Amino acid sequence: MPTSSSPSLPDERLAAGAARLASRYAGHFAPETVLGLLADSYTRLAEQARIHSHLVVLAERLTAERLDALAHTQGLTSGDRPRVLFVCSQNAGRSQMAAALLAHRAGEHVTVSSAGTHPAHEVEPFIVQALTEAGVEMSGDPEGAYPKPLTEEVVQAADIVITMGCGDACPVVPGRRYLDWPVADPDGAPIAVVRDIRDAIDAHITELLSRLAL
């Protein structure tokens, strides 16, 4: 994790986001730590992006998620909600659906996140359609859901890491519970197949919720 002093931002438009995040996490993290993570988040997202119109906003969102996770692992925040991380290769299909379904069904009782070992450029359109048909929203933000890179902070903060087709690419952190869900890859599949995959994931979600006893 980058923590060097006064790192330069790759886009001057990030300065406003850096100020907001530094204020939000004042007392927890130094401004230099916030700047380092923001610059790193932007760079990671830029590597996979085709369109950069929302990249600054997405970098701020990703940095906030990483800072929240880091605060949790350092004991800077209270609360005992289980934290579940879904990981697939591209974070454009299975892990996005799983995260949205769990967040929809568990509400504020679980902290949910998702990431990809090799993130795609965007979420598959049929993923959004299949979830919308089931009454599930992927994101409340105007920029919508987006593929995110897998970062050390989010893995470290998770109580349960659920992998879906990423194999050995997901780092193993001692003390975390790992599950692997054998769900088909919806990449390029017709909507009928995506609906079946959605329902298969939802069945796994039902089992997971029973184990969490929420």
Side-chain angles (χ1 to χ4, degrees), residues 5-61:
S5 60
S6 302
S8 60
L9 293 173
D11 188 316
E12 63 181 12
R13 295 173 299 168
L14 290 168
R20 281 190 293 268
L21 291 170
S23 176
R24 176 176 170 182
Y25 294 94
H28 287 169
F29 301 111
E32 292 79 15
T33 299
V34 173
L35 282 171
L37 279 177
L38 182 59
D40 181 68
S41 295
Y42 181 93
T43 299
R44 292 187 186 217
L45 291 172
E47 289 174 352
Q48 74 197 45
R50 287 178 177 170
I51 301 174
H52 289 206
S53 56
H54 297 302
L55 194 55
V56 170
V57 175
L58 296 182
E60 183 177 345
R61 285 172 54 189

Side-chain angles (χ1 to χ4, degrees), residues 81-137:
R81 294 186 298 176
R83 301 176 72 95
V84 180
L85 169 64
F86 293 98
V87 183
C88 67
S89 178
Q90 296 186 328
N91 192 220
R94 289 168 288 188
S95 58
Q96 290 278 359
M97 280 200 291
L101 287 165
L102 179 56
H104 176 75
R105 296 184 57 184
E108 297 182 354
H109 298 289
V110 178
T111 298
V112 185
S113 56
S114 69
T117 55
H118 299 89
H121 301 295
E122 60 185 0
V123 175
E124 293 285 339
F126 281 164
I127 301 301
V128 180
Q129 179 180 341
L131 287 170
T132 300
E133 292 173 354
V136 178
E137 292 186 7

